[in-house]
Amino acid sequence: MSNVLHRRPGLRLGLLLTPPMLWLGVAYLGALGALFITSLWGQNAFTGEVERTWTLDNFRTLLDVDVYRVITLRTLAIALTVTVVDAVVAIPIALFMAKVASSRLKGILLVAVLTPLWASYLVKAYAWRGMLSENGLVSWLARPFGLDTPGYGVVATTLTLAYLWMPYMILPIFASLERLPDSLLEASADLGARSVETLRRVVLPVMFPGLVAGSIFTFSLTLGDYITVRIVGGASQMLGNVVYDNVGAANNLPFAAAMATVPVVIILVYLALVRRTGALENL
Amino acid sequence: MSLRALRKEFGAVTAVDGIDLDIADGEFFSMLGPSGSGKTTVLRMIAGFEQPTGGQVLLGEQDVTELPPFRRDVNTVFQDYALFPHMSVVQNVEYGLRVKKVPSGERRPRAEAALETVRLATYGGRRPHELSGGQRQRVALARALVNRPRVLLLDEPLGALDLKLRRQMQIELKALQRDVGITFVFVTHDQEEALTMSDRIAVFNDGRIEQVASPVELYERPASPFVAGFVGTSNLLTGATARRAVGDDGPVSVRPEKIQLHHRTDLGAGGHQGGGADGECVLEGVVTEVVYLGAATHSVVDVGDGVHLTVQQQNEESSIDHLFARRGERVVLTWRREHVVRLDGAGRSTGDGSGHNEEE
């Protein structure tokens, strides 16, 4: 048996790759395909049964009805804001971890960044609900400055999601900075650049692929979220809620599928933009 | 450029232990020493990457000890070249001019001229990773030189190159330094490299300078056993062996190529021990090993008391069978008294570059 495999490398490669390729092709891309096909089907208004006739009605509803446009734009805005907030917070943290901290402190910080990933998503979301409540921690902290908790809504959702996805932004940036040799920073200073200039001309460009990788995580995870907004979002809805409600309460699977293609399309557009920067080749 | 009582401690470890040094303008100055001897730390303190725990760094009349690297009129060529991977070659070279706000109209021609001096004029558009090690080395050189610094610091820049390229770069570097007239401070652990290129060399050992001298002086008149052993090969004689050969306890050193090797029969019976009347030193011994080195042959001779001397002979014949045949033979070693170097340590020199060795 092993002799046969040794003499026929093509067969060996085939056997090794078939299961994962099947997974990718059938289970993963197939499901996406099924989603798209379903979105082109209709529904019997009376019985609620799926009617397998081709129609663009679902997409027409999606574009014509104001609520869905607003929800799409809101979701997009939240995803972008979460990404920006995460980047702004993660860059200094990653920079400190990779270039300033001693190797002991670096290990501790790495654990600190990773541990929240072990805790349940729901627990963390509810913790934020508690902190953002009327007499909660945020309100108590903000009061001396004459401010108050933002309450449950879009801001609270953005804050909570930014917290939840923070490790996914810190880690790729940290990894890209780890690859930046100290001698490059010294060379920059040696050639006359101040710290700010070095940050702008050397650190940021080297870090950029990591930043892009992190933003793909935070952006796409936010686009698909529907639980956090239920817990801290008040009456606000995101794309995920519409999908959820149409699968459950409304029992309109084709429309849910149409709605679910929206984040997929947005992500594809985002990836196309990212690709043009050339960052994907340097990941 | 001058260093005054420069010290650096990392915790309990003293890396640099009080160094005084004066380097003249336009000099090619090397800091030579084994790894961990403090030479790189000194270089990094001159560049401003490390803060000294004591002492001063003077650049001309200016005390730059407290200044950050970007305010010092020195540039560094790094061991790993430290080229910016996201910039093209010419962008790398003009980086220093760009951050100093030199207008772009002047910047580009200067960068291209610098690339030309290192013979990479057509490589400006490439990325560093598309270049060979030797080419990257030259880009790093151009990137530093384009700023016309007062002093150029080079941190083992040839270490990563293969031997042939290294030899070629040594000659190029020396020629370049003569052309631009900038002071070069060159750190290396390769004694041959230091001897080839330098006007003067400081030999570092354990955070201190053992000797500062020209290459010839350093080789011919080492001031301490350490220098004699580190720069070239050296035969160290002490105690009884020294007494037999030169008449006192030493320590003294003799270079392998200064020793003549004779068959016992050539000299007649009974060597004259304790120094010949004709100004020659004589030792008898047995050849224990013959090592062929291409251009030369090393014979290791056991002269008693557990001391082995190395004798170097040029391979003038096309065959060295006669040398190999000597293994196990009794031979007589002679050398002229003037080639004996005293290593009492009393002549340990400081940075002023004058009056190192005591008289013989």
Side-chain angles (χ1 to χ4, degrees):
Chain A
M1 176 69 186
S2 59
N3 284 342
V4 174
L5 284 179
H6 184 73
R7 269 182 280 120
R8 311 187 66 174
L11 181 65
R12 193 173 48 187
L13 195 67
L15 282 175
L16 271 174
L17 279 182
T18 304
M21 288 317 265
L22 272 178
W23 170 261
L24 183 70
V26 177
Y28 192 75
L29 292 178
L32 265 181
L35 179 83
F36 187 63
I37 290 168
T38 310
S39 72
L40 295 170
W41 286 340
Q43 191 194 32
N44 186 311
F46 184 63
T47 62
E49 296 236 340
V50 173
E51 285 182 344
R52 303 190 171 186
T53 49
W54 304 110
T55 167
L56 283 172
D57 282 353
N58 292 320
F59 287 98
R60 221 164 277 139
T61 316
L62 207 123
L63 291 172
D64 288 348
V65 179
D66 274 350
V67 174
Y68 298 131
R69 266 210 308 264
V70 169
I71 288 178
T72 302
L73 287 178
R74 178 192 296 140
T75 307
L76 198 60
I78 291 177
L80 285 173
T81 316
V82 165
T83 301
V84 170
V85 168
D86 276 349
V88 168
V89 177
I91 288 172
I93 293 178
L95 203 56
F96 180 80
M97 281 167 66
K99 287 293 150 212
V100 184
S102 65
S103 63
R104 216 179 91 86
L105 185 58
K106 187 187 289 187
I108 294 170
L109 285 172
L110 207 54
V111 170
V113 169
L114 285 172
T115 359
L117 293 178
W118 263 268
S120 156
Y121 171 104
L122 279 177
V123 170
K124 289 181 282 183
Y126 273 109
W128 274 93
R129 188 185 166 91
M131 288 195 290
L132 291 162
S133 65
E134 210 154 296
N135 285 307
L137 185 69
V138 173
S139 154
W140 180 75
L141 282 174
R143 203 160 297 142
F145 306 98
L147 298 168
D148 198 7
T149 170
Y152 303 132
V154 172
V155 175
T157 308
T158 309
L159 265 177
T160 309
L161 287 173
Y163 164 79
L164 286 173
W165 313 140
M166 189 66 77
Y168 299 101
M169 183 63 100
I170 294 178
L171 290 176
I173 297 181
F174 170 72
S176 67
L177 287 175
E178 276 268 284
R179 287 189 305 188
L180 170 73
D182 288 340
S183 63
L184 285 194
L185 306 180
E186 286 177 351
S188 176
D190 187 72
L191 292 165
R194 295 152 173 283
S195 307
V196 178
E197 196 96 3
T198 300
L199 195 69
R200 192 164 69 86
R201 294 189 186 277
V202 179
V203 178
L204 282 180
V206 171
M207 180 176 78
F208 187 68
L211 184 68
V212 165
S215 76
I216 292 172
F217 288 130
T218 59
F219 187 74
S220 56
L221 285 170
T222 307
L223 276 189
D225 189 84
Y226 68 100
I227 300 176
T228 298
V229 68
R230 277 280 190 85
I231 297 171
V232 298
S236 313
Q237 283 199 312
M238 287 170 71
L239 280 173
N241 302 105
V242 179
V243 176
Y244 183 83
D245 292 342
N246 275 293
V247 173
N251 194 26
N252 189 345
L253 269 184
F255 185 70
M259 208 66 199
T261 53
V262 173
V264 174
V265 170
I266 295 176
I267 293 278
L268 286 177
V269 170
Y270 187 72
L271 284 177
L273 288 176
V274 161
R275 194 164 165 253
R276 293 187 65 177
T277 66
L280 291 181
E281 283 86 59
N282 293 320
L283 274 182
Chain B
M1 194 195 70
S2 310
L3 308 178
R4 296 269 172 272
L6 201 63
R7 296 182 62 79
K8 178 71 184 179
E9 280 122 21
F10 294 104
V13 184
T14 304
V16 177
D17 192 7
I19 284 196
D20 290 284
L21 204 56
D22 288 288
I23 299 171
D25 280 345
E27 191 172 19
F28 197 124
F29 190 89
S30 289
M31 301 193 195
L32 174 67
S35 53
S37 61
K39 56 193 193 304
T40 296
T41 310
V42 169
L43 192 85
R44 292 175 59 77
M45 287 193 283
I46 300 173
F49 305 139
E50 304 278 359
Q51 265 299 308
T53 40
Q56 288 177 302
V57 180
L58 304 174
L59 202 58
E61 299 302 304
Q62 193 193 8
D63 182 353
V64 298
T65 317
E66 304 287 324
L67 293 185
F70 54 82
R71 284 193 202 280
R72 299 188 186 200
D73 198 6
V74 299
N75 284 118
T76 309
V77 176
F78 291 82
Q79 190 169 12
D80 63 355
Y81 315 139
L83 300 178
F84 304 120
H86 56 288
M87 298 180 197
S88 70
V89 165
V90 72
Q91 281 170 336
N92 261 283
V93 174
E94 66 180 0
Y95 185 85
L97 303 176
R98 181 186 291 265
V99 297
K100 283 186 210 101
K101 309 273 187 292
V102 174
S104 58
E106 182 188 342
R107 200 158 76 203
R108 205 31 86 86
R110 268 175 74 179
E112 272 159 8
L115 279 174
E116 201 148 334
T117 54
V118 295
R119 298 189 290 112
L120 285 176
T122 56
Y123 289 79
R126 301 218 191 165
R127 289 289 170 115
H129 66 86
E130 295 170 324
L131 303 182
S132 71
Q135 289 166 338
R136 276 181 229 181
Q137 157 68 57
R138 298 214 290 265
V139 175
L141 206 57
R143 185 178 68 173
L145 283 173
V146 76
N147 306 293
R148 296 173 193 148
R150 288 185 69 145
V151 179
L152 185 73
L153 308 172
L154 303 103
D155 183 9
E156 308 216 11
L158 309 181
L161 307 179
D162 63 61
L163 186 63
K164 209 162 178 88
L165 196 55
R166 199 154 70 212
R167 291 246 164 89
Q168 184 196 332
M169 281 304 295
Q170 286 170 10
I171 295 163
E172 277 184 33
L173 261 182
K174 181 68 193 159
L176 188 67
Q177 192 264 342
R178 245 190 316 253
D179 288 348
V180 296
I182 292 173
T183 311
F184 276 33
V185 178
F186 189 94
V187 161
T188 180
H189 63 261
D190 183 337
Q191 43 106 2
E192 187 195 309
E193 207 164 274
L195 292 177
T196 311
M197 293 188 287
S198 319
D199 297 321
R200 278 196 305 152
I201 301 170
V203 181
F204 278 68
N205 183 28
D206 214 10
R208 293 173 158 280
I209 293 180
E210 292 267 338
Q211 186 177 6
V212 182
S214 70
V216 177
E217 240 176 84
L218 204 64
Y219 188 80
E220 298 292 341
R221 296 271 165 261
S224 70
F226 178 82
V227 176
F230 194 75
V231 182
T233 315
S234 187
N235 293 303
L236 199 63
L237 298 175
T238 53
T241 321
R243 213 173 313 130
R244 272 195 285 139
V246 299
D248 62 62
D249 278 3
V252 297
S253 118
V254 188
R255 294 290 184 192
E257 71 276 13
K258 309 283 202 241
I259 302 178
Q260 311 290 319
L261 189 147
H262 313 273
H263 286 277
R264 267 192 93 188
T265 47
D266 293 351
L267 288 176
H272 20 248
Q273 303 234 327
D278 50 355
E280 287 220 320
C281 302
V282 181
L283 272 182
E284 276 189 50
V286 178
V287 178
T288 57
E289 204 57 70
V290 178
V291 183
Y292 179 64
L293 299 174
T297 301
H298 277 182
S299 303
V300 181
V301 180
D302 181 352
V303 294
D305 300 323
V307 178
H308 294 80
L309 296 193
T310 302
V311 180
Q312 177 171 322
Q313 289 166 294
Q314 289 300 313
N315 291 334
E316 284 156 347
E317 315 291 329
S318 53
S319 157
I320 57 151
D321 291 344
H322 61 289
L323 292 176
F324 277 112
R326 276 191 189 157
R327 207 174 294 172
E329 249 181 56
R330 282 200 76 80
V331 292
V332 176
L333 306 178
T334 65
W335 62 89
R336 297 219 299 276
R337 200 161 253 289
E338 67 203 66
H339 293 316
V340 176
V341 180
R342 305 219 147 261
L343 302 170
D344 303 302
R348 182 172 178 147
S349 65
T350 47
D352 55 6
S354 65
H356 325 279
N357 303 292
E358 58 173 335
E359 301 306 314
E360 263 183 64

